[in-house]
Amino acid sequence: MLEGGPGDFPGRIVAIDPPGTRELKIPYLAGYEHFQATGRSEETAEGTLPVYEWWERTELPG
């Protein structure tokens, strides 16, 4: 479960591989959105999911 980041970011529920990963780097437009594990979880229709909070964006060179 992703919190924060761009308002138009698609999909707030993403697969994590491997499970337990502390940081996520997700490609979006001309860069990456970075999320960190919060230690919290949230009940969803898909079950109990770990919550990751947005912390920065990096741009691709170009």
Side-chain angles (χ1 to χ4, degrees):
M1 182 80 176
L2 304 177
E3 287 185 345
D8 59 347
F9 190 77
R12 292 294 170 167
I13 296 177
V14 297
I16 300 171
D17 188 30
T21 299
R22 300 283 310 149
E23 295 183 5
L24 303 177
K25 179 179 174 183
I26 301 174
Y28 182 62
L29 299 177
Y32 293 94
E33 302 302 331
H34 299 265
F35 295 83
Q36 292 182 330
T38 64
R40 295 182 288 119
S41 58
E42 188 168 317
E43 293 295 326
T44 72
E46 287 82 6
T48 303
L49 302 176
V51 176
Y52 287 76
E53 185 174 58
W54 181 88
W55 66 281
E56 93 175 318
R57 174 176 175 76
T58 53
E59 299 286 331
L60 293 172

